Amino acid sequence: MKKIVLSILVLTSALIGCKGSKETASNPAPATIDCNVVVVTFANDIKPIFEANCTRCHNTNKKAGYNFFTYESAKKAADSGVLAGSLNHRKGYSKMPLFKAKLSQDLINKIECWIKNGMPE
């Protein structure tokens, strides 16, 4: 009888420990990007992310302060720290994107590599 109770306790503990993990087959942990190997450019990688998620507000009217259709404006946001702060929802920054859920960590990692590597055009 003691062995059965002990087995149930061990099994229950193992199941509870597994339940807390957010990583599943359908929701794997975000891939890390080696910024020393991957070349991320504005034209090929960053601009499409901005067009899909940011330019609804950050466009040619500049009402939101930046026009993410242009390299110069995106670089200005990145240089100032506003871009990374807003995308990562850091305290003191406006959480972006405003009308969508937070960008995936994969996309944020790609943008951060672009910034780290000097924001190649």
Side-chain angles (χ1 to χ4, degrees):
M1 181 67 164
K2 288 181 182 180
K3 287 184 179 180
I4 294 173
V5 172
L6 184 59
S7 296
I8 292 172
L9 287 174
V10 169
L11 181 60
T12 303
S13 296
L15 290 173
I16 289 171
C18 291
K19 185 178 179 186
S21 175
K22 292 182 180 180
E23 187 174 332
T24 64
S26 62
N27 187 22
T32 57
I33 298 174
D34 184 350
C35 297
N36 296 317
V37 176
V38 176
V39 176
V40 180
T41 66
F42 179 76
N44 293 330
D45 304 290
I46 304 305
K47 189 173 181 181
I49 296 170
F50 288 165
E51 287 176 350
N53 298 283
C54 309
T55 56
R56 174 180 176 187
C57 299
H58 296 282
N59 52 47
T60 56
N61 67 23
K62 295 187 181 179
K63 287 183 182 177
Y66 297 98
N67 173 6
F68 285 159
F69 284 113
T70 70
Y71 169 78
E72 292 78 16
S73 186
K75 185 178 182 306
K76 181 179 175 184
D79 279 335
S80 70
V82 170
L83 182 59
S86 294
L87 293 177
N88 285 294
H89 294 185
R90 292 184 185 134
K91 187 176 180 179
Y93 294 92
S94 298
K95 295 178 180 179
M96 294 291 155
L98 188 59
F99 298 107
K100 291 184 172 193
K102 183 178 178 183
L103 292 183
S104 72
Q105 193 59 50
D106 289 337
L107 294 179
I108 293 171
N109 290 347
K110 189 177 278 191
I111 293 167
E112 288 180 337
C113 273
W114 175 68
I115 294 168
K116 179 182 175 186
N117 290 332
M119 296 161 279
E121 202 167 344

